Amino acid sequence: MPVALEASPPDDPVLAANPGLADDPLLLSIWQRVQSIEDPCHELSGYPLTLGDLGVINRVDLDAAHVEIGLTYTELGCSFAPRILQRIEQEMLAVPGVASVEAVYEPFPPWSPARMRPRAQQLYATRREQALAAIAAIPVESIKSRRSPPSQA
């Protein structure tokens, strides 16, 4: 079961930059829904994070019943980009009042770990510590023996 987070934390930079977003119930519903979409890469890794957790959604625009969502990816050439776009379209079309959706890749502003919510930053810090601990537990002799060329007999 995915971990649910608040869709728009008080320090959400997109809400801060778009004060009218919170005043429009449909637009706010769309914003909250897109924030809750699970990132397929993290879902497969066993650490479910949402697009909102990662801070990849830049904007949500609503024109009549058409929604346009601007997003960036956590890395250039993201292999999960088509799946992310498909999930956004599916989720947005499920919102009452939305007739069409367009998700648009925006390379600027570029993504950085600073855009992640604190929970996601903590998860990454924990994963890094676990990886370093696992590496430190490998006996040095084991590493040396793997690097040594085969003996000449």
Side-chain angles (χ1 to χ4, degrees):
M1 179 173 203
V3 178
L5 295 179
E6 62 183 280
S8 6
D11 60 345
D12 187 323
V14 175
L15 281 179
N18 298 283
L21 188 64
D23 297 333
D24 183 330
L26 177 57
L27 198 53
L28 185 59
S29 174
I30 291 165
W31 174 250
Q32 291 172 332
R33 187 104 175 219
V34 76
Q35 292 289 307
S36 68
I37 297 171
E38 285 189 35
D39 175 57
C41 179
H42 289 91
E43 183 180 8
L44 291 174
S45 72
Y47 294 93
L49 291 174
T50 66
L51 300 181
D53 293 334
L54 295 170
V56 298
I57 304 299
N58 296 327
R59 64 183 174 80
V60 174
D61 296 325
L62 178 63
D63 182 13
H66 176 74
V67 175
E68 184 174 297
I69 296 172
L71 72 151
T72 190
Y73 300 119
T74 57
E75 64 180 65
L76 199 56
C78 172
S79 61
F80 286 96
R83 192 175 299 173
I84 292 169
L85 297 175
Q86 180 183 32
R87 284 185 177 185
I88 289 173
E89 183 175 319
Q90 289 172 340
E91 288 293 322
M92 295 304 96
L93 290 174
V95 174
V98 173
S100 61
V101 180
E102 182 179 9
V104 179
Y105 169 67
E106 298 175 341
F108 299 101
W111 184 86
S112 77
R115 293 180 65 170
M116 292 190 295
R117 289 187 178 154
R119 176 187 168 279
Q121 291 174 349
Q122 180 60 45
L123 177 63
Y124 269 77
T126 301
R127 288 179 67 184
R128 183 176 184 277
E129 290 170 13
Q130 291 170 344
L132 291 174
I135 290 169
I138 298 172
V140 174
E141 302 78 34
S142 167
I143 296 171
K144 287 181 181 178
S145 67
R146 291 180 190 164
R147 291 186 176 173
S148 301
S151 60
Q152 302 286 330

PDB file of all heavy atoms in Angstrom, residues 144-152:
ATOM      1  N   LYS A 144      39.956  -7.382  -2.954  1.00  0.00           N
ATOM      2  CA  LYS A 144      41.265  -7.560  -3.572  1.00  0.00           C
ATOM      3  C   LYS A 144      41.304  -8.819  -4.427  1.00  0.00           C
ATOM      4  O   LYS A 144      41.845  -8.811  -5.520  1.00  0.00           O
ATOM      5  CB  LYS A 144      42.355  -7.620  -2.510  1.00  0.00           C
ATOM      6  CG  LYS A 144      42.646  -6.283  -1.883  1.00  0.00           C
ATOM      7  CD  LYS A 144      43.743  -6.409  -0.855  1.00  0.00           C
ATOM      8  CE  LYS A 144      44.036  -5.081  -0.196  1.00  0.00           C
ATOM      9  NZ  LYS A 144      45.068  -5.217   0.845  1.00  0.00           N
ATOM     10  N   SER A 145      40.698  -9.912  -3.931  1.00  0.00           N
ATOM     11  CA  SER A 145      40.751 -11.163  -4.683  1.00  0.00           C
ATOM     12  C   SER A 145      39.955 -11.054  -5.983  1.00  0.00           C
ATOM     13  O   SER A 145      40.278 -11.705  -6.962  1.00  0.00           O
ATOM     14  CB  SER A 145      40.249 -12.331  -3.844  1.00  0.00           C
ATOM     15  OG  SER A 145      38.866 -12.186  -3.582  1.00  0.00           O
ATOM     16  N   ARG A 146      38.936 -10.248  -6.007  1.00  0.00           N
ATOM     17  CA  ARG A 146      38.149 -10.072  -7.227  1.00  0.00           C
ATOM     18  C   ARG A 146      38.905  -9.246  -8.260  1.00  0.00           C
ATOM     19  O   ARG A 146      38.687  -9.372  -9.444  1.00  0.00           O
ATOM     20  CB  ARG A 146      36.820  -9.393  -6.920  1.00  0.00           C
ATOM     21  CG  ARG A 146      35.881 -10.261  -6.135  1.00  0.00           C
ATOM     22  CD  ARG A 146      34.592  -9.547  -5.865  1.00  0.00           C
ATOM     23  NE  ARG A 146      33.820 -10.311  -4.906  1.00  0.00           N
ATOM     24  CZ  ARG A 146      32.799  -9.828  -4.239  1.00  0.00           C
ATOM     25  NH1 ARG A 146      32.427  -8.588  -4.430  1.00  0.00           N
ATOM     26  NH2 ARG A 146      32.143 -10.567  -3.392  1.00  0.00           N
ATOM     27  N   ARG A 147      39.777  -8.372  -7.785  1.00  0.00           N
ATOM     28  CA  ARG A 147      40.522  -7.502  -8.686  1.00  0.00           C
ATOM     29  C   ARG A 147      41.829  -8.125  -9.159  1.00  0.00           C
ATOM     30  O   ARG A 147      42.399  -7.664 -10.117  1.00  0.00           O
ATOM     31  CB  ARG A 147      40.835  -6.183  -8.004  1.00  0.00           C
ATOM     32  CG  ARG A 147      39.612  -5.337  -7.776  1.00  0.00           C
ATOM     33  CD  ARG A 147      40.001  -4.014  -7.234  1.00  0.00           C
ATOM     34  NE  ARG A 147      38.841  -3.148  -7.107  1.00  0.00           N
ATOM     35  CZ  ARG A 147      38.867  -1.983  -6.545  1.00  0.00           C
ATOM     36  NH1 ARG A 147      39.995  -1.513  -6.057  1.00  0.00           N
ATOM     37  NH2 ARG A 147      37.790  -1.252  -6.456  1.00  0.00           N
ATOM     38  N   SER A 148      42.299  -9.116  -8.449  1.00  0.00           N
ATOM     39  CA  SER A 148      43.574  -9.710  -8.789  1.00  0.00           C
ATOM     40  C   SER A 148      43.478 -10.468 -10.092  1.00  0.00           C
ATOM     41  O   SER A 148      42.485 -11.175 -10.339  1.00  0.00           O
ATOM     42  CB  SER A 148      44.021 -10.683  -7.690  1.00  0.00           C
ATOM     43  OG  SER A 148      44.132 -10.008  -6.472  1.00  0.00           O
ATOM     44  N   PRO A 149      44.500 -10.331 -10.944  1.00  0.00           N
ATOM     45  CA  PRO A 149      44.476 -11.091 -12.191  1.00  0.00           C
ATOM     46  C   PRO A 149      44.641 -12.575 -11.891  1.00  0.00           C
ATOM     47  O   PRO A 149      45.179 -12.956 -10.848  1.00  0.00           O
ATOM     48  CB  PRO A 149      45.674 -10.536 -12.974  1.00  0.00           C
ATOM     49  CG  PRO A 149      46.553  -9.922 -11.927  1.00  0.00           C
ATOM     50  CD  PRO A 149      45.668  -9.509 -10.799  1.00  0.00           C
ATOM     51  N   PRO A 150      44.154 -13.419 -12.769  1.00  0.00           N
ATOM     52  CA  PRO A 150      44.305 -14.858 -12.539  1.00  0.00           C
ATOM     53  C   PRO A 150      45.790 -15.213 -12.429  1.00  0.00           C
ATOM     54  O   PRO A 150      46.629 -14.633 -13.115  1.00  0.00           O
ATOM     55  CB  PRO A 150      43.677 -15.503 -13.778  1.00  0.00           C
ATOM     56  CG  PRO A 150      43.066 -14.399 -14.575  1.00  0.00           C
ATOM     57  CD  PRO A 150      43.507 -13.103 -14.005  1.00  0.00           C
ATOM     58  N   SER A 151      46.064 -16.126 -11.519  1.00  0.00           N
ATOM     59  CA  SER A 151      47.483 -16.506 -11.332  1.00  0.00           C
ATOM     60  C   SER A 151      47.967 -17.309 -12.522  1.00  0.00           C
ATOM     61  O   SER A 151      47.234 -18.079 -13.134  1.00  0.00           O
ATOM     62  CB  SER A 151      47.640 -17.316 -10.047  1.00  0.00           C
ATOM     63  OG  SER A 151      46.859 -18.482 -10.132  1.00  0.00           O
ATOM     64  N   GLN A 152      49.249 -17.076 -12.852  1.00  0.00           N
ATOM     65  CA  GLN A 152      49.890 -17.786 -13.947  1.00  0.00           C
ATOM     66  C   GLN A 152      50.579 -19.004 -13.365  1.00  0.00           C
ATOM     67  O   GLN A 152      51.516 -18.897 -12.599  1.00  0.00           O
ATOM     68  CB  GLN A 152      50.925 -16.880 -14.645  1.00  0.00           C
ATOM     69  CG  GLN A 152      50.349 -15.595 -15.198  1.00  0.00           C
ATOM     70  CD  GLN A 152      49.540 -15.834 -16.454  1.00  0.00           C
ATOM     71  OE1 GLN A 152      49.821 -16.749 -17.214  1.00  0.00           O
ATOM     72  NE2 GLN A 152      48.521 -15.022 -16.658  1.00  0.00           N
TER      73      GLN A 152
END
